[in-house]
Amino acid sequence: MEEPAAVQTIPPQNIVVIHPGSLNVRIGRASDLNPVSELHVIARRRISGGQTHHDEILPSLIAKNRELTDQLEEVRLQVSHAVQSCLQSDGRRRYATPPQQIAAFNRRSEPSDVEIPSSNNVIGVSKWIKPEGDVVVGDDVLKLDPSLDFNIHFPYRRGDFNIHGGPGGSVSAVLADLEAIWGYLLTYKLGLPKPQRKPCRAVLVIPDVYNRQYLKDLMTLLLNDLGFGGCFLLQDHVAATFGAGLGVACVVDVGDQKTSVSCVEDGISHRNTRIRMEYGGGDITHIFHWLLGKCAFPYKSCDPKISTDAMLLHQLKQDFCHVNLDVCGSHEKSFAIQRVNSGIQQYTLMLGDECIVAPLSLFYPELFSMTGMKTSVSQKRYAGDPEDPFDDHFIRETGRKGAKENLETTGGTDIATAGELPGGEDDIVVDALEGGVGTTGAGEFEISPGKLLGLDQAVLQSIERCPTDDMKRKMYNCVLVVGGGMKFNGIATYLQNRLHLQVPFAYRSDQTDIVMTPKDTDPQLTAWKGASILSCLESAHELWISPEEWKRTGVKILRERAPFMW
């Protein structure tokens, strides 16, 4: 007789973990120390006379009218005054260099041609690549000559499929792009061409607030199109707790274009606690560029719509921005730009509190209105699936029907008990958050339509949705921050102080523990590492779904096998 455990044991080098995002995709074997990280983008040669489409690296800006400009300026002053009113760690008042003085220095600053820049921030392209084929993938897209007839597509936007009305905006086109990008990285970065993938398994890290139809399509992509011998799906917040070694945490995931919060306990992300906001690190980059413009940014031709300039701004935000309130006054900074067919130009500029104001937009989300109207959404309610006739809808309805018949045969007349029928709880609309809850046509819950929650408010709202007081207390004690959009020195302390002032008295402990670099790992890699760890556990053999099972059973097997409530 065979030993099932021995049969199902898969060596870590045969497990591929894929964590897709709006800006980058991380892909690697479970045995790797770190994954391959590439821009999650594809360029396709445009057919003759075809429509032009160009997804930008940063979120699109909206046209500024007088009302929006006044609102942004008002909020900027509010944040600046809040920063000025803070004290340094030694109790002294903060001081600031007048903005006029900073702007005067920056206006006089001229770029200099250098061979070896004093700064490590060298962004740009020395020469364009000449693609032989019709498709370019990943970081190489940045090296494409803009004059060539290529359309550029990011398959993920705001943390989910990039569906739009233009070329390449359909679900099937997005899936084709994902197949091309992931297939290229598997073949050329991991050395796994399609014929060699059959013995391998794939783990796909998915968003906590997910679309079931997209997950079905992704399962088919992994098992049929990419040719893996098995796969399973894992929610990013659950993966993050594994990567951090935490059993219980309120997970805050700040990505490039979305921020999500949920409460995870023992490997389960509680559905009612999940909130996703449509802002992230890319929006902060735009705000930083706007603030740089106010202090006479010396690189005057900087255009966020140009890929290399967008990557430069992204790098400057990462290197210069912080929330260290002990850093006062103005400081001299430098960066360098590499241009095609010319040398490296180095710029010097002076910066003050702009470096603090930009990251604090996470707590003053009105600043994000420069990238358009946004919503906060909770988990999409299950609309049923024709492939899965005996789903929870069927169970709930048959349970309710049986209970009603029971009442009639026993002569019960207490209508109040109808609310306690089996499965009735699933029909309760998610509690209203500030401003009420609306439902979209797709069945997603919009929390405060048109009004965004700040990061601290989202954490408080999420924890308040936990079912028990004991669980709320645990969540207030441990907040895990992951993702690449919030890597600012000092922001953990700021978030901790904001939460501490607002935690209900009944749940207060000495302090809220904010975990940002668990086990000294990069917060961008926490979820990927967690998925790698989980996939190698002995218990993971119960999760794998084979192509044969998927073909035979379809979506029903996800309800039975997925490590989350389908």
Side-chain angles (χ1 to χ4, degrees):
M1 225 178 123
E2 289 182 327
E3 294 182 22
V7 171
Q8 296 291 348
T9 300
I10 301 156
Q13 61 268 26
N14 281 3
I15 299 172
V16 175
V17 180
I18 305 172
H19 186 188
S22 298
L23 181 64
N24 297 305
V25 56
R26 294 178 179 84
I27 185 168
R29 300 172 192 263
S31 56
D32 294 342
L33 187 62
N34 290 313
V36 171
S37 182
E38 290 260 335
L39 275 181
H40 203 186
V41 64
I42 185 169
R44 293 185 181 275
R45 196 180 295 275
R46 198 178 310 124
I47 60 172
S48 179
Q51 283 182 277
T52 301
H53 183 82
H54 193 291
D55 283 331
E56 296 165 12
I57 287 179
L58 295 177
S60 300
L61 290 168
I62 61 170
K64 289 192 181 77
N65 54 26
R66 181 64 183 269
E67 184 184 352
L68 178 59
T69 305
D70 290 347
Q71 180 197 341
L72 291 172
E73 188 60 26
E74 183 184 336
V75 180
R76 183 191 71 82
L77 289 171
Q78 183 185 347
V79 182
S80 295
H81 292 153
V83 170
Q84 281 307 306
S85 66
C86 294
L87 299 176
Q88 297 181 60
S89 57
D90 58 6
R92 290 185 300 169
R93 290 187 65 83
R94 294 189 81 255
Y95 60 89
T97 305
Q100 300 86 345
Q101 188 176 323
I102 293 174
F105 176 91
N106 290 338
R107 283 193 193 94
R108 292 194 302 271
S109 178
E110 294 291 335
S112 57
D113 293 324
V114 293
E115 287 188 18
I116 303 174
S118 59
S119 164
N120 292 325
N121 305 329
V122 184
I123 298 289
V125 180
S126 55
K127 61 180 181 180
W128 303 122
I129 61 169
K130 294 180 180 177
E132 296 175 1
D134 294 335
V135 174
V136 180
V137 166
D139 294 350
D140 285 345
V141 173
L142 290 175
K143 302 170 188 172
L144 268 182
D145 188 338
S147 64
L148 294 177
D149 54 344
F150 276 83
N151 283 351
I152 294 177
H153 305 275
F154 278 86
Y156 275 70
R157 294 274 91 166
R158 298 293 179 196
D160 218 333
F161 279 13
N162 182 17
I163 307 299
H164 54 83
S170 66
V171 173
S172 56
V174 168
L175 291 166
D177 289 344
L178 291 175
E179 183 185 353
I181 298 170
W182 299 355
Y184 172 86
L185 295 176
L186 286 165
T187 302
Y188 296 103
K189 301 292 183 178
L190 299 188
L192 266 182
K194 190 170 181 178
Q196 296 178 22
R197 293 177 204 154
K198 189 66 178 171
C200 296
R201 304 287 186 270
V203 180
L204 180 65
V205 181
I206 62 166
D208 250 42
V209 178
Y210 52 82
N211 181 311
R212 285 178 173 82
Q213 183 58 49
Y214 295 167
L215 297 194
K216 280 175 58 182
D217 295 334
L218 288 168
M219 287 288 294
T220 303
L221 173 69
L222 291 168
L223 295 173
N224 296 355
D225 304 323
L226 291 175
F228 283 104
C231 75
F232 70 80
L233 308 175
L234 184 65
Q235 289 172 298
D236 50 5
H237 290 194
V238 174
T241 59
F242 270 90
L246 299 171
V248 177
C250 176
V251 182
V252 178
D253 183 356
V254 184
D256 187 70
Q257 295 197 8
K258 68 102 173 85
T259 296
S260 55
V261 184
S262 81
C263 295
V264 179
E265 183 181 37
D266 298 330
I268 299 293
S269 166
H270 288 265
R271 179 184 167 192
N272 281 355
T273 66
R274 299 176 204 159
I275 302 173
R276 183 174 75 200
M277 284 87 68
E278 294 180 333
Y279 60 74
D283 301 88
I284 298 173
T285 303
H286 268 310
I287 291 166
F288 187 50
H289 181 227
W290 174 64
L291 294 169
L292 288 174
K294 287 189 166 296
C295 62
F297 188 41
Y299 178 29
K300 298 178 180 64
S301 62
C302 182
D303 183 358
K305 292 184 178 181
I306 298 172
S307 298
T308 48
D309 284 355
M311 292 305 288
L312 171 74
L313 290 169
H314 180 72
Q315 189 65 48
L316 296 185
K317 175 199 70 178
Q318 285 190 324
D319 292 344
F320 297 162
C321 287
H322 63 87
V323 191
N324 183 351
L325 297 174
D326 286 349
V327 177
C328 306
S330 57
H331 298 267
E332 198 172 291
K333 307 282 186 182
S334 65
F335 62 93
I337 299 171
Q338 170 80 65
R339 296 187 182 283
V340 177
N341 302 325
S342 64
I344 298 171
Q345 284 194 313
Q346 179 160 299
Y347 288 82
T348 302
L349 75 160
M350 197 76 81
L351 287 174
D353 280 352
E354 295 81 12
C355 300
I356 298 179
V357 172
L360 290 187
S361 55
L362 288 165
F363 303 94
Y364 296 86
E366 295 84 2
L367 285 171
F368 293 132
S369 54
M370 67 169 60
T371 51
M373 179 73 81
K374 300 174 184 65
T375 55
S376 300
V377 295
S378 188
Q379 181 61 52
K380 186 175 181 178
R381 297 189 71 186
Y382 191 30
D385 193 303
E387 289 182 25
D388 189 10
F390 299 104
D391 58 12
D392 49 351
H393 274 271
F394 173 83
I395 293 165
R396 186 167 64 242
E397 291 304 318
T398 52
R400 180 179 290 114
K401 184 180 177 183
K404 283 181 178 174
E405 287 172 356
N406 224 11
L407 279 174
E408 288 168 10
T409 54
T410 55
T413 55
D414 186 1
I415 304 302
T417 57
E420 300 166 18
L421 296 178
E425 202 173 292
D426 287 345
D427 272 346
I428 297 172
V429 175
V430 177
D431 309 337
L433 295 184
E434 289 180 300
V437 177
T439 55
T440 66
E444 282 189 341
F445 291 102
E446 287 190 10
I447 301 164
S448 310
K451 181 186 176 188
L452 276 182
L453 297 169
L455 198 62
D456 52 337
Q457 288 300 310
V459 171
L460 292 164
Q461 297 279 19
S462 178
I463 295 176
E464 279 305 306
R465 293 171 168 277
C466 291
T468 65
D469 288 349
D470 184 52
M471 187 176 166
K472 289 178 187 178
R473 191 172 290 107
K474 289 177 186 175
M475 296 300 168
Y476 279 123
N477 283 344
C478 184
V479 175
L480 171 64
V481 178
V482 295
M486 195 172 150
K487 291 171 66 176
F488 304 111
N489 179 33
I491 201 163
T493 305
Y494 192 89
L495 174 60
Q496 186 180 49
N497 292 337
R498 293 272 296 208
L499 289 175
H500 191 68
L501 292 171
Q502 301 174 77
V503 171
F505 186 75
Y507 305 120
R508 283 195 182 174
S509 59
D510 292 339
Q511 64 176 19
T512 300
D513 190 16
I514 309 287
V515 182
M516 278 200 74
T517 52
K519 302 179 180 177
D520 295 324
T521 59
D522 184 338
Q524 294 181 90
L525 304 182
T526 309
W528 184 90
K529 285 184 178 294
S532 301
I533 292 165
L534 178 62
S535 67
C536 297
L537 297 179
E538 193 176 318
S539 55
H541 76 266
E542 300 172 5
L543 302 175
W544 297 113
I545 297 170
S546 69
E548 295 75 27
E549 288 174 314
W550 183 248
K551 187 176 181 180
R552 185 175 68 248
T553 319
V555 72
K556 291 190 288 293
I557 199 166
L558 278 175
R559 181 159 49 82
E560 297 162 7
R561 202 81 63 86
F564 52 90
M565 290 298 290
W566 183 259

